[in-house]
Amino acid sequence: MIKSLILKLSTYLLRYLDMEEDEGLPGRLKNSLRLEPVFSFIDANYSSKISLEELAALVNMSVSNFSSVFKKTFGISPLEYVIRVRIVKASELLISTNMKIINIASDCGFFSMSNFIECFRKYTGKTPRDFRKTYHVK
């Protein structure tokens, strides 16, 4: 449970604190505020397919400009952020429910079990099954 909360916290910290240092704080805050509709959309739609085109359209930017501003402001790509949100949601479900792992993967926007396992291991250091065994609240 603690690891899930740490992952969630790290996602939020990445959103606001892991910003490149060459851009001044006012510019980063301005970009953060401008991109807020993107975060709301991702939080509400993480279980669906999300495209860069959709995200860019939310803030009236071209895909290339949106991707550039997002990465410059937060240090990761928009799609990387989407994956991190999905992993946090999946880890919460693994800890707090007895849902089948394949259902959790699907509910969190992963349409390939192998992709889910690979991404989950990358961010947590464990497979979903091992993560559940270690942190599941019974």
Side-chain angles (χ1 to χ4, degrees):
M1 188 161 146
I2 292 171
K3 192 162 188 174
S4 172
L5 293 173
I6 290 171
L7 284 170
K8 190 172 188 176
L9 176 62
S10 69
T11 301
Y12 290 111
L13 289 175
L14 277 171
R15 184 186 297 178
Y16 296 107
L17 299 178
D18 189 23
M19 303 173 187
E20 291 189 13
E21 297 190 19
D22 60 0
E23 187 177 311
L25 184 59
R28 292 184 303 205
L29 289 175
K30 180 179 158 190
N31 287 340
S32 295
L33 292 173
R34 182 175 184 191
L35 297 173
E36 191 58 40
V38 171
F39 297 117
S40 298
F41 180 83
I42 292 168
D43 287 341
N45 297 286
Y46 66 88
S47 62
S48 305
K49 288 187 179 187
I50 297 175
S51 70
L52 284 175
E53 291 79 13
E54 281 180 295
L55 298 177
L58 290 169
V59 290
N60 299 315
M61 297 172 82
S62 70
V63 171
S64 61
N65 189 33
F66 167 72
S67 295
S68 175
V69 168
F70 194 101
K71 182 152 183 137
K72 186 180 235 184
T73 305
F74 301 108
I76 59 172
S77 73
L79 294 181
E80 179 75 14
Y81 178 79
V82 170
I83 292 169
R84 290 181 184 195
V85 168
R86 289 173 174 166
I87 295 297
V88 168
K89 302 293 185 182
S91 64
E92 291 170 356
L93 291 172
L94 287 165
I95 289 171
S96 63
T97 71
N98 290 319
M99 288 174 63
K100 291 183 178 185
I101 293 173
I102 193 166
N103 294 340
I104 290 174
S106 176
D107 287 356
C108 292
F110 291 95
F111 303 101
S112 159
M113 191 64 174
S114 61
N115 181 298
F116 173 61
I117 292 169
E118 180 183 326
C119 289
F120 198 89
R121 186 181 292 140
K122 176 181 175 184
Y123 290 103
T124 67
K126 295 179 180 280
T127 64
R129 183 175 177 230
D130 290 341
F131 185 88
R132 174 175 267 169
K133 282 182 183 178
T134 304
Y135 302 108
H136 184 69
V137 178
K138 296 178 178 160

